[in-house]
Amino acid sequence: MEVKKKERLLYIDVLRVIAMMSVLICHYTRSLEYAGINYLAYILPNEIFNVYLGSFGVAVFFVLSGVSLMYTYSGKMDLKKYFKKRFLGIFPMYWTAWLIAFLYFFWKVGQFRTEVPYWKIILTVFGMDGYANWYGANFYLLGEWFLGCLLLLYLLFPILKWGIEKHPIITAVIIIAVYAIGPFVYHGTIPTGNYFVFRIPEFAFGMYFIHYGGKVKWPVALVSGGILAYAAIADLTAIDVLYKNTVVGIVTFLFVTWVCTFIKWDFFYKICGTIGKYAYAVFLTHHVISNEIVFHFAGRIFTRLENYIFFILYLIVVGVASKMLYKLNDWILGLFKKEA
């Protein structure tokens, strides 16, 4: 049975904010470029530790997802409760955000996308429209490939959990073998870095971390910090980005988790917890918002100060919209609970 009350893992909130901000900054920069806005200074560089900034955030988040699920569902697991909680945590807010975006774009453009077969709306219903974009246009409006990839990992979680708890070594060998050999034999439409099978190692690492105690000892932290330092200064262009993403994501998780053991400031964790609570809503809103507000400045050249000011404006708008979506979703779920 699922344990209802557990000690909060504070490092998860910290890492969730790091991952979220990496993706927000990355997509903000891409939106500026899409609108033809030149800028004299980055908010953050396009790469961190030799990994694309957005990919860095995604890798960290995959590890966190494995940690969170394994911590929540350690021991005997009720599959019905698991899938119900995942469904309620993902789809109502996603459908609400998509409907709002759809009505906004319909008002803006004045027409429906008639070139897309109507049956493809089913991809949106199941949250797979962003992931299925590689196979042709559909009714994708918000979020991106990450949501579809995460949904597939959530489906795999009960199987991975069983394997890690009952046959940890065999499961690890299979995961590593597929990860090491798979990219060389895979020739699918979805890029290897976005294909859910090749993101299992990050997800599973988080699960193994909890399964084996959930602690980072100082030698592991020292090695992790050393790898990050080396990755920050070395030329790693010869290494496949898939492998760099995984290693950097994992060692970042380990190093930050260890550092958090020395941070005793409750207010810091409270801020991270409050911000992290809205991470999913931010994921659903920020793409549309960034792409829409940048066109007010299309063709401009931003000084360093102007770029910082506009980025703060972007964060404020995304934050307000995300909190409103979060509250609206709570209200909608509350209506259904009353009916039940």
Side-chain angles (χ1 to χ4, degrees), residues 216-243:
V216 180
K217 296 182 179 180
W218 72 263
V220 175
L222 184 64
V223 172
S224 298
I227 292 173
L228 288 176
Y230 179 76
I233 61 175
D235 181 4
L236 303 179
T237 52
I239 301 176
D240 191 291
V241 292
L242 175 66
Y243 302 133

Side-chain angles (χ1 to χ4, degrees), residues 174-187:
I174 293 173
I175 291 172
I176 293 171
V178 171
Y179 175 71
I181 300 171
F184 296 98
V185 298
Y186 170 75
H187 300 291

Side-chain angles (χ1 to χ4, degrees), residues 268-293:
F268 169 72
Y269 291 113
K270 186 175 182 179
I271 292 174
C272 290
T274 300
I275 296 173
K277 181 173 72 171
Y278 301 107
Y280 182 49
V282 167
F283 168 74
L284 293 175
T285 60
H286 80 280
H287 262 307
V288 173
I289 289 172
S290 62
N291 287 336
E292 290 301 298
I293 66 175

Side-chain angles (χ1 to χ4, degrees), residues 24-213:
L24 275 174
I25 293 171
C26 169
H27 289 163
Y28 167 79
T29 304
R30 300 291 80 77
S31 294
L32 293 183
E33 295 168 353
Y34 181 62
I37 300 173
N38 292 313
Y39 45 91
L40 301 182
Y42 286 99
I43 302 300
L44 281 179
N46 277 331
E47 288 192 350
I48 182 170
F49 305 120
N50 259 287
V51 169
Y52 181 57
L53 185 60
S55 300
F56 167 79
V58 167
V60 171
F61 195 84
F62 278 137
V63 177
L64 287 180
S65 298
V67 168
S68 299
L69 290 181
M70 198 66 168
Y71 185 69
T72 302
Y73 296 99
S74 59
K76 189 176 180 181
M77 179 179 174
D78 187 324
L79 285 176
K80 183 178 179 181
K81 288 184 178 180
Y82 167 74
F83 285 114
K84 180 181 179 181
K85 188 172 182 179
R86 298 278 70 75
F87 175 86
L88 292 176
I90 295 172
F91 287 103
M93 188 183 292
Y94 176 74
W95 292 336
T96 301
W98 187 91
L99 181 60
I100 293 171
F102 167 76
L103 293 174
Y104 168 74
F105 285 118
F106 183 76
W107 169 81
K108 180 181 178 181
V109 179
Q111 66 180 25
F112 192 60
R113 293 190 64 182
T114 55
E115 79 280 7
V116 178
Y118 289 167
W119 69 264
K120 287 192 173 184
I121 193 66
I122 196 68
L123 297 171
T124 296
V125 171
F126 287 105
M128 298 298 294
D129 48 5
Y131 205 60
N133 242 358
W134 280 289
Y135 297 99
N138 55 54
F139 296 106
Y140 160 72
L141 289 177
L142 53 105
E144 53 179 314
W145 69 272
F146 176 77
L147 178 59
C149 186
L150 193 62
L151 286 170
L152 293 172
L153 291 175
Y154 282 170
L155 286 174
L156 282 176
F157 172 74
I159 300 173
L160 289 171
K161 179 178 181 294
W162 174 84
I164 290 170
E165 290 180 341
K166 302 297 184 182
H167 307 283
I169 296 177
I170 294 174
T171 301
V173 169
I174 293 173
I175 291 172
I176 293 171
V178 171
Y179 175 71
I181 300 171
F184 296 98
V185 298
Y186 170 75
H187 300 291
T189 303
I190 301 175
T192 54
N194 307 99
Y195 190 44
F196 78 98
V197 171
F198 302 135
R199 305 315 294 253
I200 291 176
E202 296 145 339
F203 186 72
F205 179 87
M207 296 173 66
Y208 273 103
F209 178 77
I210 294 298
H211 181 65
Y212 286 106

